[in-house]
Amino acid sequence: MATVCPAPMQATSHGVFQGDNPLDYSLPLAILQICLVVVVTRGLAYILRPLRQPRVIAEIIGGVLLGPSALGRSNKFLNAVFPHKSLPVLDTLANIGLLFFLFLVGLELDIAAIRRTGKKALAIALAGISLPFALGIGTSFAFRATIVKGAPQAPFLVFMGVALSITAFPVLARILAELKLLTTDLGRMAMSAAAVNDVAAWILLALAVALSGDGSPIISLWVLLTGVGFVIAIILLLRPLLAWMANRSPEGEPVKEVYICATLAIVLAASFATDAIGIHALFGAFMVGIVVPKDGPFAGVLIEKVEDLISGLFLPLYFVSSGLKTNVATISGAKSWGLLVLVITNACIGKIGGTVITSLVVKIPVREAVTLGFLMNTKGLVELIVLNIGRDRKVLNDEAFAILVLMALFTTFITTPIVMAIYKPARPSAPYKRRTVEGSPSDADSELRVLACFHSNRNVPTLLNLVESSRGTSRRRLAMYAMHLVELSERSSAISMVHRTRRNAMPFFNSGDKDGQMVVAFEAFQQLSTVRVKPMTAISDLETIHRDVINSAAEKRAAIVIMPYHKMPQHDGTFHSLGSQYHDMNKRVLRGAPCSVAILVDRGLGGHSQVAAKNVAFSVSVLFFGGPDDREALAYATRMAEHPGVNVTLTRIRPSRPLHDEESDEVVVEAFKAKVDAVKDGSVSFDNIEASGKEAVLEAINSLSKCNMFVVGRMPPTEPLVERPEELGPVGSYLASPEFKTSASVLVIKRYDPATNPASKRFDPKARPPVATDVEDDDEEMNSGGGSASVVPVQWTPTHDSA
């Protein structure tokens, strides 16, 4: 009897009013599938967020739930939403998304950085590949004797070895960022080893694919040799062409559309070539990404053009395509569950054991070595790619495929909770005494440490001018820790930021910023000023980046943290908000900082460039109402008055009602008045105003609008000058409002008070035994005058241990 093939699906329907069911046509069905996949995976990501799991976990689970393991157990759902005749279209869309995603992975993989990997990281990477690979080969014999009896021997051995030895580099970076370990010694070591592991995994996968053909060994050899020839051709022929396009795309100018289009077409052509060779289309896209020049704006523009569409819509389809092939119900009986336990055990023993043993040999402490082992056991997208290729090549059957998918899911899921449980970073051992600018009498001649944070290069000139104005005298030095706050978003290109940090050990900026000019600005400022400068970088999501600021302030024992205001001034005097997340960040730092906090409203102190020390000519107005915050603001301004180019005017505005700590206010005011009498050049002045109400206060403030900067306390004892004051307080909110016409920047200071900062008590050295830390070594490096800056909080780079 002849077999009747079903008619192929047409692209579009005529509409429900014409009697058509849209789900019988490929385009509306594909749209429904994409929307359903996005909703399910993003919903699961939101649910798993409190567990601090990477998004790939949600995508793998979402794919499995939509497949025959859960919702797909209903034939009605499966035949309506994922009918068998729609799977070729779904797989095609998923693989196109995967092609361009692996092109992005190649773009982010810095081969030059891998070549500079230190001996320790290289040894850890090789041990983390070889031992699990050997155990994977051993595990394959158990599989072949039970559930995969007909599989070809050599390809199956290699596929099992690769499946157990992979470390997911992008997923590992996400986990490290979530745990605040991305820029630590441990995180850098893990990232370096994972990058080497990633390259080795792709080489082994290419070998496995070449061996998995149905032909003779001679054909497999030809596939392998032709693949090597393709790589050589990419390096010798395509790389110069891409470099030519990159060189014709200078910084500050838009990249030509024809270059973007040509590069994306080259990606598809290379994928076609590797598919024709027989080593899968993914390798072509990955190789093109590797040879694209990483310097300049060209690679950044390519990422911006491609990643949101691919990562947001098309890549999740690959997880669903994989989930539709995963049927957990095939794992039944003691034999199958025993194999699942066996493969999970061997994967953990191989990867964790190999990493731990090698780490101990290279003298990494035991706790860090165990943590590194669990971090290196992270799986992800590449693992799924290996398994899907193995299934498509008939090397893995459905049961083996499901077992290995669950193994990848389990080993990745346990990474975050176990690392959180076993790894406790060292606590600062040095006493944290000076938590305010005012300090105690014994702190009068001690160094003032300032943690100055900024979001972009626009904030840097004002920050440098402010710190220069606050440097004090030669015996009262100032140390500035300049922390660049960088959002680690869900976009895959965020991982390229980590590469740039590892490569040059300097704060980095977005593709639109001029990196070199900002680096020169910090270096020049340190050389021409008595201020010690230490650039730092915090890479985190905006909801938790305040923890980086708070922990760094404690580690560096800062007396004050300067945070940028969450609104940027416009040309017409109004302010544009950067977003509620930036606002919340400042409020969290104000609540939890272990020292005083200042919010800097930047209206361009000194213009849009750094002012040389000898050319500083600023006028500063201090509004003093009374109270601890105002006393702290006056202490900061008093330090500014020591600069020969800064004129400071203290305007004391007496409130109508008496204060409970007026004696303390009188002491600091009298001390400032004594300074006025001592300075004969008129650069320090004092004015006393009796203000009986809001209008009198506004009039007094408006008369000072021509100064360059206001320094005020956050919570002075006066009524609000605006209807709804923000975190800047009753006076600061008015100074930062459009109603106040001025070009003066504003520094709003909150004095540290342990009673209102209960969270900061955990930084009290009396609360627990001190533990060794490298803070003092870091400070000695700064004291030696070394010009090279580094990223917080460690000094190690991948090249250090190779010296």
Side-chain angles (χ1 to χ4, degrees), residues 387-445:
L387 300 181
N388 275 281
I389 292 176
R391 188 182 181 282
D392 294 341
R393 297 292 178 111
K394 309 299 183 185
V395 176
L396 301 175
N397 60 17
D398 289 348
E399 189 173 354
F401 180 80
I403 288 174
L404 292 173
V405 167
L406 291 184
M407 179 271 294
L409 188 61
F410 177 81
T411 54
T412 306
F413 192 90
I414 65 173
T415 299
T416 298
I418 289 181
V419 170
M420 289 176 65
I422 65 176
Y423 183 68
K424 306 296 182 184
R427 305 286 188 177
S429 59
Y432 192 172
K433 296 180 180 178
R434 187 170 185 177
R435 296 171 180 258
T436 62
V437 177
E438 185 179 11
S440 61
S442 61
D443 298 328
D445 294 333

Side-chain angles (χ1 to χ4, degrees), residues 542-544 546 550 584-593:
L542 292 180
E543 289 189 3
T544 61
H546 66 281
I550 293 170
D584 293 339
M585 179 204 312
N586 286 354
K587 290 191 287 188
R588 289 168 183 148
V589 172
L590 284 166
R591 282 198 303 267

Side-chain angles (χ1 to χ4, degrees), residues 709-720:
M709 168 164 276
F710 284 93
V711 180
V712 298
R714 177 173 177 254
M715 297 302 290
T718 184
E719 61 179 309

Side-chain angles (χ1 to χ4, degrees), residues 624-628 630-631 634 652 659 661-671 717:
F624 190 89
F625 293 83
D630 279 23
R631 292 196 294 272
L634 180 56
R652 185 175 190 185
L659 303 176
D661 55 352
E662 195 164 356
E663 289 185 12
S664 302
D665 295 340
E666 288 297 333
V667 170
V668 296
V669 171
E670 290 300 322

Side-chain angles (χ1 to χ4, degrees), residues 121-150:
L122 185 61
I124 290 170
L126 294 178
I129 294 171
S130 53
L131 184 57
F133 191 87
L135 288 178
I137 291 176
T139 307
S140 68
F141 289 105
F143 272 72
R144 281 176 53 80
T146 52
I147 62 174
V148 197
K149 294 183 178 180

Side-chain angles (χ1 to χ4, degrees), residues 306-386:
V306 173
E307 73 168 335
D308 286 338
L309 178 65
I310 296 301
S311 300
L313 293 182
F314 287 99
L315 186 63
L317 293 180
Y318 188 78
F319 292 96
V320 171
S321 175
S322 176
L324 290 172
K325 304 169 188 173
T326 306
N327 190 355
V328 178
T330 58
I331 307 175
S332 58
K335 184 189 298 182
S336 296
W337 287 105
L339 287 174
L340 176 61
V341 173
L342 175 68
V343 75
I344 290 176
T345 303
N346 283 350
C348 293
I349 291 175
K351 180 67 75 171
I352 298 172
T355 301
V356 170
I357 292 171
T358 310
S359 300
L360 295 176
V361 169
V362 297
K363 299 181 179 179
I364 292 176
V366 176
R367 179 169 288 184
E368 282 77 359
V370 175
T371 305
L372 200 56
F374 278 98
L375 288 170
M376 296 297 290
N377 200 32
T378 304
K379 311 294 182 186
L381 177 64
V382 180
E383 176 84 5
L384 282 188
I385 293 172
V386 171

